[in-house]
Amino acid sequence: MKFTKLSLIAALAISSAWAGGDITPVEPAVEAPASEACNANTTIDGKATLYYITDDGSYDLFDSESSRFGAAATVNVAHKIMDNVTANITAVGFTNLTDDGGYYEGVETGAYFNVANITASYGDTTLVAGRQLLGTPMLQGYDWLLAPGSFEAYTLVNTSIPDVTLVAAYVDEYRQNNSGVDFVELPGDNWTISAAYAGEAFSASAWYYDVEAAGYSQVYVDASTKISDIKVAAQYVNTDDDGGDDSDAYGIMASTEISDISLMGAYNYIDENPTAYVGWNGLYTNSWNTTVANSVGNAFKVEAATEFSDLSLTASYAYYEYDNALEEGHEFDLIAGYALTDCISLDAIYSNTDYGDGENINQLEFIATYKF
């Protein structure tokens, strides 16, 4: 599963609040027609995607029964209604080009609005109301296959205090990644609040989650700093399960760059029970197909990445210790991306995954993307 770390603000999809803007007229000033003025406040972009995936878990690689092939178009529209108030829409349409291996999103062809919100800012406070992307550490819709998972939510972001970002979000509905075109209403009250500090010397954040839909509450904290040329970080998650035992997760990570090669090493330890999350999570030793949150015990990951010309390469290996019901597991990933043009990119992912049952599954993914 594709794991993309998102920055706190970018993941809340508020950057589009500043789309459009006033254009300074050339003297002598001539009033623009109404249609031109409206169009100046609207931005449209998107992408077209071809996605092929195959694995040898039950059949051979490239067998029709083990493969899926589909196409999708994503269109983003941001319209500035008035100063500091913007309407944002992301429409996703898709079709499956084969059917033997099952359908992306569970249906042959479909369309939905993955994002549909009003973003309003007043001073240092921004409100996002409606369908949106969330990228918090333990509640997020990761971007994999045709479109990321998203939420029907109400999010407040405040930056009144220098170097401090305050976030509060109430989540009402959720469309899980690759789950179809419908949003599902979440029972009970589901919300999170946080405070994050990003200074020159170090950064830190603290989050509290109350997820009544899954019957748990959770505390997440992390901190990072840079020592010489090495960035070090630590994280801790405590999950209070209403109907079971609590869980504690600890993590440390170090990263640096040597001769244009980015290197990362991380360690997580999960005590007693797996760690709860919604959608995906930000634990350090997650891999493409595996989240360490589902394991109990020790886990580590090493990764190297580099870029040259228009090609990027990332290789990683992770080890996972599971509970007594499973054996030890691992995952190796090799990810390549090539920018064919400024608008066309090609990506390939190879993964070898053992989920703790002693079986190695090879998986290949090929993605072609055209941005417009």
Side-chain angles (χ1 to χ4, degrees):
M1 297 179 181
K2 186 174 183 180
F3 172 54
T4 305
K5 282 192 173 181
L6 303 178
S7 68
L8 182 67
I9 300 302
L12 292 170
I14 67 171
S15 59
S16 56
W18 311 109
D22 297 327
I23 300 175
T24 303
V26 178
E27 296 294 345
V30 178
E31 183 177 355
S35 60
E36 290 184 21
C38 291
N39 291 337
N41 291 330
T42 302
T43 60
I44 301 175
D45 60 53
K47 65 179 181 178
T49 303
L50 289 174
Y51 208 118
Y52 176 82
I53 185 171
T54 184
D55 66 67
D56 61 2
S58 299
Y59 302 92
D60 293 335
L61 284 172
F62 306 110
D63 190 290
S64 61
E65 297 288 342
S66 65
S67 305
R68 281 181 287 172
F69 184 37
T74 301
V75 178
N76 307 304
V77 180
H79 178 71
K80 181 180 176 183
I81 300 173
M82 61 181 69
D83 287 346
N84 300 333
V85 178
T86 302
N88 305 289
I89 295 175
T90 296
V92 180
F94 65 90
T95 185
N96 285 271
L97 304 176
T98 59
D99 59 4
D100 290 345
Y103 289 141
Y104 291 120
E105 305 293 353
V107 293
E108 182 176 5
T109 301
Y112 55 92
F113 291 109
N114 209 33
V115 170
N117 66 61
I118 295 294
T119 300
S121 297
Y122 181 78
D124 297 324
T125 301
T126 298
L127 169 68
V128 185
R131 294 185 180 182
Q132 58 192 274
L133 306 181
L134 290 173
T136 80
M138 303 304 293
L139 185 154
Q140 57 180 270
Y142 57 90
D143 190 2
W144 184 54
L145 301 179
L146 302 187
S150 58
F151 302 84
E152 181 86 24
Y154 305 88
T155 303
L156 275 172
V157 180
N158 178 269
T159 56
S160 297
I161 305 172
D163 301 325
V164 174
T165 301
L166 305 176
V167 177
Y170 182 89
V171 181
D172 188 47
E173 296 182 2
Y174 174 41
R175 192 200 73 84
Q176 185 176 355
N177 177 271
N178 199 40
S179 66
V181 301
D182 297 323
F183 281 67
V184 176
E185 184 174 355
L186 300 177
D189 295 319
N190 307 278
W191 52 274
T192 181
I193 56 174
S194 79
Y197 172 79
E200 294 183 2
F202 75 97
S203 299
S205 72
W207 294 79
Y208 177 81
Y209 298 88
D210 193 336
V211 185
E212 288 190 359
Y216 71 88
S217 60
Q218 193 172 61
V219 173
Y220 172 95
V221 294
D222 66 15
S224 64
T225 189
K226 198 167 186 179
I227 302 174
S228 187
D229 292 328
I230 300 175
K231 180 181 178 180
V232 294
Q235 61 185 183
Y236 169 72
V237 190
N238 173 263
T239 306
D240 184 357
D241 191 326
D242 295 344
D245 295 330
D246 294 350
S247 171
D248 292 297
Y250 308 86
I252 55 174
M253 177 176 63
S255 60
T256 190
E257 185 171 322
I258 301 175
S259 299
D260 296 326
I261 299 177
S262 298
L263 301 173
M264 187 275 290
Y267 169 80
N268 279 114
Y269 177 74
I270 299 180
D271 189 27
E272 298 295 336
N273 288 292
T275 303
Y277 61 94
V278 178
W280 197 244
N281 62 82
L283 296 184
Y284 295 148
T285 57
N286 286 335
S287 295
W288 188 268
N289 290 316
T290 308
T291 172
V292 66
N294 292 336
S295 69
V296 174
N298 299 287
F300 69 82
K301 179 182 179 180
V302 291
E303 179 179 284
T306 189
E307 294 183 10
F308 53 92
S309 187
D310 295 320
L311 179 67
S312 63
L313 290 173
T314 301
S316 65
Y317 174 83
Y319 161 88
Y320 303 101
E321 185 178 22
Y322 291 93
D323 58 26
N324 293 332
L326 296 170
E327 301 177 2
E328 299 172 350
H330 69 261
E331 179 166 337
F332 170 78
D333 297 322
L334 180 61
I335 303 169
Y338 180 70
L340 189 62
T341 70
D342 290 340
C343 299
I344 301 174
S345 62
L346 305 174
D347 299 280
I349 303 98
Y350 167 73
S351 60
N352 178 278
T353 308
D354 178 355
Y355 293 100
D357 55 10
E359 181 181 1
N360 286 298
I361 298 175
N362 295 292
Q363 180 174 292
L364 286 169
E365 300 174 52
F366 299 101
I367 311 159
T369 304
Y370 172 73
K371 294 182 179 180
F372 54 87

